[in-house]
Amino acid sequence: MKTTDGSKMEGLLYKSTRTSKSGIVSSEAVVRGIAPDGGLYVPVAFPQIERTFDELSGYSYKKLAFYVMSKFFTDFDDEDLADCIEKAYDEKFDTPEIAPVINISDLYFLELYHGATLAFKDMALSLLPHLLTSAVKNLAIDKEIVILTATSGDTGKAALESFSDVQNTRIIVFYPKEGVSKIQERQMITQEGSNTSVIAIKGNFDDAQNGVKEIFSDKSLAKDMEANGYMFSSANSINIGRLIPQIVYYIHAYLKLMKYGAIDRGQKINIVVPTGNFGNILAAYYSHKMGLPVARLICASNENNILYDFLTTGVYDKRRELILTSSPSMDILISSNLERLLYDLSGNDPLAIQGLMDSLKEKGVFKIEDSMIKKLDMFYGQYATEPETFSTIEKVFKEHDYLIDTHTAVGCCVYGKYRNETKDDTPSVLASTASPFKFPAAVLCSLDPGYKGLDDFELIKKLSEVTGRQIPAPLKDMDKKPVLHDTVCSRDDMILEVKKILGI
Ligand SMILES: *Cc1c(COP(=O)(O)O)cnc(C)c1O
């Protein structure tokens, strides 16, 4: 394997968080998504940023993406990987910068919503189908890949959009009928592409996610799939093909801050991430493991503040009601990617992780050892209530003429609390995860409660009028597109729906 520095590097292997078995190559981890033992794949070591920040600061987003990702996908052909990146970050992004960094007041907003579905998941999902196709080729597999995904809103559309009509793939998306916004639902049920299926389930996101997990681990279904030339893979944020592309933009943001003169080379930054499944903030942690100078990782939750509780007490307790908030992509009680952090904090101890995950499954709660709690120091957890989220949107717009969505507002509000509490003035980057136009009701009503009651599509137009911002192209005329998917099923019938779609 060649590194981009030209030196020879051993192929990087991946192993499950729940066994001590030796590793597999990245292609296999990408294709499998989740490990057979239910664990998540993690790299056995973290490649380091070896080039200087001065040199990297001259790179385009795509070149930086290649530099970072070639260190993780070491069994991919260089040309293939470069081609994947080229296809992912194309004109579907509305700016060649891909991820602009905007300074507003004392915070740097890393805008991750310039892709096809206007949310940060495009950053990785636009790449995943291409990574998967290459990985299948690398492994000489002759099966059709079936992508099965549970979504709390944004992943679903981003995955559908990216896999639509990609050869030798099919995609099936489950979403909670009452747990996504009108716009998010509309985006999904109007999805084109002969290989796409979208199903609403009667239940919440965790029901959908658990249902998908069960389907993945159903042995008899696996046999039928095999016999019919299919194999499952996952587009969920547990796939390393999702996680690794997300590391890139934190390094990119760091280089931008250097360029803006906000930091000297080598100076530490803080990173604030509105968090749900813990994928995005884990990527920030991984960027730090690669050598990016990061001081604190600020984990922002909405009223589903399970991570805040965990970070402050070491107890993860999901025995509580899920609250539906105006930041639905963060309405989650099981943050799957936390398992990877725990694995790292435990000193790579699969038995410890197995114990914690068993406890979570059986009792709905786990507590980590004091030695692990100490290692959580780098993380700061806080949350924003609904009224705080709305007033943050209003304040940022009225004071700085800058429009943010509800998820970004949760992050922004939590950052304010952090500064007040700690007086830490380290330059800070906020992962801005969605366009405000994706959540027009909450955003517009934050500016002026008088708009309550309008439908989402009218709200988009009004939001544009009131703020003077243009409606992003993917949302224009969406209400006129035909509905192509209308199946609704119960949590227990998910597996039947999958069989029906695949004809097995
Ligand atoms: C998915 C999502 C999040 C949460 O990201 P995780 O990686 O699940 O923590 C935050 N904001 C938006 C808009 C999202 O779509």
Side-chain angles (χ1 to χ4, degrees):
M1 245 21 85
K2 273 233 196 91
T3 68
T4 47
D5 301 296
S7 57
K8 285 272 177 194
M9 191 176 105
E10 288 292 313
L12 179 63
L13 295 181
Y14 292 79
K15 62 174 296 296
S16 164
T17 47
R18 297 192 198 176
T19 58
S20 43
K21 272 199 214 122
S22 59
I24 56 173
V25 295
S26 67
S27 296
E28 200 167 341
V30 168
V31 170
R32 285 195 192 171
I34 191 164
D37 57 24
L40 309 189
Y41 287 115
V42 287
V44 297
F46 283 89
Q48 296 299 299
I49 302 170
E50 283 152 347
R51 297 197 179 163
T52 64
F53 291 124
D54 282 323
E55 183 179 356
L56 293 176
S57 70
Y59 285 20
S60 67
Y61 192 88
K62 288 185 209 174
K63 193 167 175 196
L64 183 67
F66 180 80
Y67 175 69
V68 174
M69 289 198 273
S70 62
K71 290 175 176 287
F72 285 94
F73 298 116
T74 52
D75 61 319
F76 281 59
D77 198 64
D78 276 358
E79 263 170 48
D80 276 358
L81 185 59
D83 188 49
C84 290
I85 291 168
E86 205 55 51
K87 284 179 180 152
Y89 302 118
D90 63 2
E91 63 287 344
K92 285 193 297 294
F93 281 79
D94 68 9
T95 161
E97 269 190 281
I98 307 297
V101 178
I102 314 283
N103 179 212
I104 302 289
S105 178
D106 58 355
L107 199 47
Y108 289 84
F109 289 74
L110 168 60
E111 295 186 350
L112 301 173
Y113 51 79
H114 289 271
T117 71
L118 309 173
F120 96 90
K121 299 201 171 60
D122 291 328
M123 298 299 295
L125 274 168
S126 58
L127 195 70
L128 186 68
H130 307 296
L131 288 177
L132 202 49
T133 320
S134 291
V136 164
K137 193 183 86 181
N138 294 343
L139 300 171
I141 294 172
D142 62 354
K143 295 229 170 354
E144 188 167 340
I145 298 277
V146 180
I147 297 294
L148 201 57
T149 289
T151 184
S152 56
D154 285 329
T155 315
K157 177 61 184 179
L160 287 161
E161 191 63 42
S162 59
F163 278 95
S164 173
D165 288 331
V166 172
Q167 274 201 342
N168 286 325
T169 69
R170 295 217 189 183
I171 173 158
I172 304 171
V173 170
F174 289 98
Y175 72 94
K177 181 83 182 125
E178 308 302 334
V180 302
S181 81
K182 274 262 156 341
I183 303 265
Q184 287 175 322
E185 178 172 52
R186 187 83 197 177
Q187 282 186 312
M188 288 192 278
I189 62 179
T190 57
Q191 178 65 47
E192 294 166 5
S194 57
N195 62 338
T196 64
S197 307
V198 178
I199 299 166
I201 72 149
K202 297 175 208 147
N204 63 32
F205 172 70
D206 287 327
D207 293 327
Q209 191 169 43
N210 286 330
V212 163
K213 277 188 185 161
E214 278 165 30
I215 296 174
F216 272 128
S217 56
D218 189 305
K219 296 234 158 58
S220 116
L221 180 66
K223 271 205 194 111
D224 293 345
M225 296 271 296
E226 167 94 34
N228 287 277
Y230 292 116
M231 78 181 285
F232 277 133
S233 189
S234 150
N236 269 7
S237 68
I238 51 177
N239 194 311
I240 61 153
R242 285 278 303 279
L243 193 57
I244 288 158
Q246 297 180 348
I247 298 172
V248 177
Y249 48 72
Y250 292 112
I251 302 174
H252 161 83
Y254 186 87
L255 298 168
K256 284 274 181 186
L257 261 60
M258 250 175 64
K259 260 192 218 162
Y260 294 163
I263 51 170
D264 294 326
R265 64 184 68 77
Q267 191 182 333
K268 288 184 176 174
I269 60 168
N270 292 335
I271 299 175
V272 190
V273 187
T275 305
N277 225 345
F278 211 77
N280 206 7
I281 194 165
L282 185 79
Y285 180 68
Y286 277 9
S287 75
H288 168 68
K289 297 280 288 182
M290 290 185 77
L292 194 72
V294 181
R296 304 293 301 272
L297 291 169
I298 298 168
C299 177
S301 302
N302 63 23
E303 288 177 0
N304 295 291
N305 55 5
I306 188 164
L307 284 166
Y308 161 73
D309 288 345
F310 171 69
L311 291 171
T312 45
T313 63
V315 178
Y316 192 92
D317 189 348
K318 76 170 175 75
R319 295 169 300 181
R320 58 180 91 192
E321 285 293 311
L322 185 82
I323 301 165
L324 299 184
T325 72
S326 61
S327 44
S329 300
M330 298 159 67
D331 292 344
I332 286 173
L333 290 184
I334 302 178
S335 299
S336 306
N337 268 297
L338 184 64
E339 182 169 341
R340 287 188 165 109
L341 176 69
L342 297 172
Y343 181 77
D344 196 67
L345 299 182
S346 73
N348 303 347
D349 180 353
L351 280 180
I353 300 308
Q354 186 72 61
L356 295 176
M357 293 304 135
D358 285 348
S359 170
L360 186 63
K361 193 162 182 202
E362 284 152 25
K363 304 192 200 103
V365 58
F366 66 76
K367 182 179 189 328
I368 59 171
E369 303 278 330
D370 287 347
S371 59
M372 277 169 80
I373 294 180
K374 283 205 193 80
K375 294 193 197 154
L376 277 175
D377 260 5
M378 180 177 195
F379 288 83
Y380 169 90
Q382 245 313 344
Y383 67 98
T385 63
E386 289 288 272
E388 286 171 338
T389 305
F390 302 143
S391 64
T392 302
I393 293 172
E394 183 188 17
K395 185 165 177 281
V396 172
F397 186 71
K398 299 224 158 119
E399 287 178 13
H400 305 286
D401 194 30
Y402 184 64
L403 195 62
I404 57 176
D405 91 295
T406 45
H407 303 77
T408 308
V410 166
C412 192
C413 172
V414 162
Y415 176 67
K417 292 186 180 183
Y418 172 78
R419 286 232 28 191
N420 266 341
E421 194 182 304
T422 63
K423 311 293 175 220
D424 175 13
D425 62 357
T426 303
S428 299
V429 169
L430 167 62
S432 305
T433 51
S435 158
F437 280 91
K438 274 197 103 158
F439 304 94
V443 171
L444 187 56
C445 294
S446 301
L447 303 181
D448 183 346
Y451 290 106
K452 282 209 173 90
L454 287 185
D455 96 19
D456 268 359
F457 303 100
E458 291 165 333
L459 283 161
I460 289 180
K461 288 181 195 130
K462 271 276 174 268
L463 185 61
S464 172
E465 278 168 36
V466 169
T467 62
R469 302 297 187 285
Q470 277 196 1
I471 301 175
L475 288 182
K476 272 197 193 139
D477 301 325
M478 198 176 50
D479 45 339
K480 299 192 184 95
K481 284 193 187 155
V483 171
L484 301 172
H485 308 270
D486 58 5
T487 308
V488 182
C489 80
S490 69
R491 157 81 171 73
D492 293 337
D493 286 341
M494 287 169 67
I495 194 159
L496 288 178
E497 290 299 330
V498 169
K499 287 185 177 172
K500 225 193 276 171
I501 289 162
L502 299 178
I504 59 178

